[in-house]
């Protein structure tokens, strides 16, 4: 299974669980790609339509949350005359309330998690923030995994990767011998 | 529309929840500090208040004009990698307008300045925020509202110095704490007025936390705030609590020119509901 597919499935699982927990109409996560946000996973009303949509960071509630790093809950979105009704309409659903929390990793924003028309409960912002932390971790791990896969598939490293795989499958006496040999070679090289 | 009674508080607001809010012990004087003594006519006349945010819609009826402003943004060709463009500008999101309108409502005769640090470019966010605060200090602001913060520790020393510079220059830095439970800066520093939301709706009423780092709780849960194009929203966030304290500080500075942040904090603590 590719890293991208795994990431997408994990993100969908997280937003689906959060949507259910909050009895919300929809829940989505958009990740930063340059100065745009791309919706990467969604669950609920309009989910099929929203995944893949791209928005500039410089507008909208989602843009604000990413730019400021501040979570925000708004309970009558339609009163924001600049609310991006076109985007909402293209997903087939215009919400009344939005809760949006930043997805951050290593101090910086990497995206935004949005919950539409939830059943309000105590500590919603914190609940959503915890899901955002999970999302940040998934994205980080997926990106790290993709980097590792890229290294492993580099043709220049083919022989080394093969040797490492053989090393992993070797019996203990052979592993100890191979490790000792490698240490000796490295010591000689330095 | 959500039911206000069921709405959720942002992180750090727990200390202000009903049943959990404990009383503080303000300094007891021979005569009590009254609201009239603290903020005089309550107009904040001539007090310069900077809103470091997404810009301010000067034409919004609840803002009623902006005296000046600057856009702070990354620019590789500029000195220090940051460009300052002074003059009128738009609010990109509506959030800065919300904060400005809250301050205007509490201090109708103050001078509002928009310091726009939020924009489409996300690179160097912390450096742009720091530069915005520096601009406010360099331009004689009395009160600076920071309804945003950074979790990055990369510029910790820069923010530390800015907070100290503000304290000795008698500039009140009002900083909303992060809405999620993690330290953020500069709200974490003791030299600022750190604010989180509590469930009150009266803009003149607020509480103090006996167990900081969050010091003050002000309305920020399901509050009706100004937004773009002359409109309004009902919103929740610590972002909206901070400008309540900033507005009251503008009143206090208006009534007591030259007052220090420490003195102003004493006045605020004398007026909290939880004592």
């Amino acid at each position: 299974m590719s890293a991208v597919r795994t990431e997408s499935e994990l993100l969908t699982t997280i937003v689906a669980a959060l949507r259910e927990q909050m009895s919300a109409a929809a829940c989505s996560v958009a990740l930063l790609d340059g100065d745009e946000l791309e919706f990467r996973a969604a669950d609920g009303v309009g989910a099929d339509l929203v995944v893949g949509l791209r928005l500039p960071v410089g507008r909208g509630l989602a843009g604000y949350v990413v730019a400021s790093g501040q979570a925000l809950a708004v309970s009558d979105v339609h009163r924001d005359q600049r609310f991006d009704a076109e985007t909402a309409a293209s997903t087939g659903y215009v919400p009344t309330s939005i809760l949006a929390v930043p997805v951050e990793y290593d101090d910086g924003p990497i995206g935004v998690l949005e919950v539409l028309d939830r059943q309000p409960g105590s500590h919603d912002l914190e609940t959503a923030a915890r899901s955002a932390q999970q999302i940040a971790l998934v994205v980080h791990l997926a990106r790290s995994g993709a980097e590792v896969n890229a290294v492993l598939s580099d043709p220049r490293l083919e022989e080394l990767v093969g040797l490492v795989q053989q090393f992993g499958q070797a019996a203990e006496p052979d592993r100890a011998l191979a490790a000792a040999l490698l240490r000796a070679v490295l010591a000689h090289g330095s | 529309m959500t039911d206000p009674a069921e709405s959720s508080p942002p992180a750090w607001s727990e200390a202000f929840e009903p049943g959990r809010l404990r009383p503080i012990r303000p300094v007891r004087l021979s005569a009590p500090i009254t609201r009239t003594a603290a903020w005089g006519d309550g107009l904040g006349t001539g007090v310069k208040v900077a809103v470091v945010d997404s810009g301010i819609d000067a034409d919004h009826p609840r803002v009623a004009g902006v005296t000046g402003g600057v856009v702070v943004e990354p620019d590789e060709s500029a000195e220090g990698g940051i460009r300052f463009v002074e003059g009128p500008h738009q609010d990109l999101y509506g959030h800065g307008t919300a904060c400005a309108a809250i301050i205007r409502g509490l201090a109708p005769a103050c001078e509002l300045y928009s310091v726009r640090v939020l924009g489409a470019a996300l690179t160097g966010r912390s450096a742009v925020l720091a530069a915005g605060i520096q601009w406010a200090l360099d331009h004689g602001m009395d009160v600076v509202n920071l309804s945003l913060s950074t979790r990055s520790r990369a510029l910790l020393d820069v923010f530390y110095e800015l907070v100290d510079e503000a304290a000795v220059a008698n500039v009140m830095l009002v900083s909303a704490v992060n809405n999620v439970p993690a330290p953020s800066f500069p709200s974490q520093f003791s030299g600022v007025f750190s604010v989180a939301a509590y469930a009150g709706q009266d803009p003149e009423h607020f509480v103090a936390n006996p167990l900081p780092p969050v010091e003050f709780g002000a309305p920020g849960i399901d509050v009706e705030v100004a937004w773009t194009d002359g409109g309004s929203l009902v919103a929740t966030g610590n972002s909206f609590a901070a400008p309540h304290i900033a507005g009251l500080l503008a009143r206090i500075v208006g009534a007591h020119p030259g007052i220090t942040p420490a003195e102003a904090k004493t006045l605020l603590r004398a007026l909290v509901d939880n004592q």
Side-chain angles (χ1 to χ4, degrees), chain A residues 64 71 73 75-76 79-80 126, chain B residues 14 95 179 224 228 232 234 236:
Chain A
Y64 165 76
S75 56
D76 47 2
R79 286 166 69 180
D80 175 4
E126 285 194 65
Chain B
E14 299 84 1
H95 189 268
N179 282 321
E224 179 158 353
T228 51
S232 62
V234 174
T236 293

Side-chain angles (χ1 to χ4, degrees), chain A residues 73 75 79, chain B residues 1-10 16 18 35 62 102 105-106 196-207 217-226 233-237 240-241 243-245 248 251 273:
Chain A
S75 56
R79 286 166 69 180
Chain B
M1 185 153 166
T2 54
D3 179 353
E6 291 186 74
S7 286
S8 64
F16 307 127
R35 285 168 187 262
R62 287 169 65 182
I102 290 169
L106 285 163
Y198 94 121
Q201 290 284 331
D202 185 333
E204 291 189 355
H205 282 260
F206 56 102
V207 293
I221 298 172
D222 283 329
V223 286
E224 179 158 353
V225 296
L233 286 179
V234 174
T236 293
F240 310 114
H244 282 92
I245 296 298
L248 295 176
R251 290 181 171 189
D273 284 358

Side-chain angles (χ1 to χ4, degrees), chain A residues 32 35 57-58 60 63-64 67-76 79-80 82 96 104 107 120-121 123-124 126 129, chain B residues 1-2 8 10 14 17 91 93 95 118 120 122 125 151-152 179-180 224 227-229 232-236 239-240:
Chain A
L32 274 175
D35 284 333
V57 171
Y64 165 76
S68 68
Q70 288 284 93
L72 195 65
V74 173
S75 56
D76 47 2
R79 286 166 69 180
D80 175 4
R82 247 191 268 172
T96 300
E104 294 180 294
D107 305 335
H123 307 294
D124 285 347
E126 285 194 65
Chain B
M1 185 153 166
T2 54
S8 64
E14 299 84 1
E17 287 177 7
D91 180 351
Y93 300 105
H95 189 268
L118 296 178
L122 296 177
R125 286 169 70 239
R151 281 168 59 181
S152 170
N179 282 321
V180 296
E224 179 158 353
W227 210 256
T228 51
D229 296 328
S232 62
L233 286 179
V234 174
T236 293
S239 302
F240 310 114

Side-chain angles (χ1 to χ4, degrees), chain B residues 11-192:
Chain B
W12 303 104
S13 294
E14 299 84 1
F16 307 127
E17 287 177 7
R20 291 185 65 173
L21 183 60
R22 291 159 46 184
I24 64 160
R25 299 171 64 186
V27 176
R28 302 292 178 192
L29 304 173
S30 56
I33 295 171
T34 63
R35 285 168 187 262
T36 308
W39 56 57
D41 61 12
L43 296 173
T45 305
V47 177
K48 294 182 175 180
V49 184
V51 177
V52 180
D53 212 287
S54 59
I56 300 175
D57 177 358
D59 296 328
H60 196 291
R62 287 169 65 182
V63 170
V66 167
T67 306
V70 63
V71 174
V72 187
E73 53 196 0
D75 180 356
E76 285 179 10
S77 64
E79 186 185 342
I82 290 174
R83 174 175 57 198
F84 298 84
V85 183
E86 296 193 8
H89 53 258
Q90 296 296 307
D91 180 351
L92 294 176
Y93 300 105
H95 189 268
T97 300
C99 295
I102 290 169
I103 294 166
R104 176 65 81 210
L106 285 163
C110 77
E111 295 179 5
L112 282 169
Y113 288 78
S114 171
V115 181
R116 193 170 89 188
V117 296
L118 296 178
L122 296 177
T123 47
R125 286 169 70 239
S126 299
V128 169
L129 171 59
I133 298 172
Q134 186 69 62
W135 186 93
L137 295 177
D138 293 344
H139 288 76
M141 297 297 128
D142 300 299
V143 179
V144 180
N145 187 78
L146 300 164
S147 284
L148 71 173
S149 57
T150 175
R151 281 168 59 181
S152 170
R153 290 175 178 266
L155 296 181
L156 215 52
D157 54 340
V158 174
F159 284 109
Y160 186 90
E161 287 176 11
L162 285 170
V163 170
D164 266 6
E165 187 181 336
V168 298
N170 289 345
V171 181
M172 320 287 162
L173 288 186
V174 186
S175 191
V177 296
N178 208 339
N179 282 321
V180 296
S184 60
F185 306 97
S187 68
Q188 200 75 5
F189 295 125
S190 61
V192 305

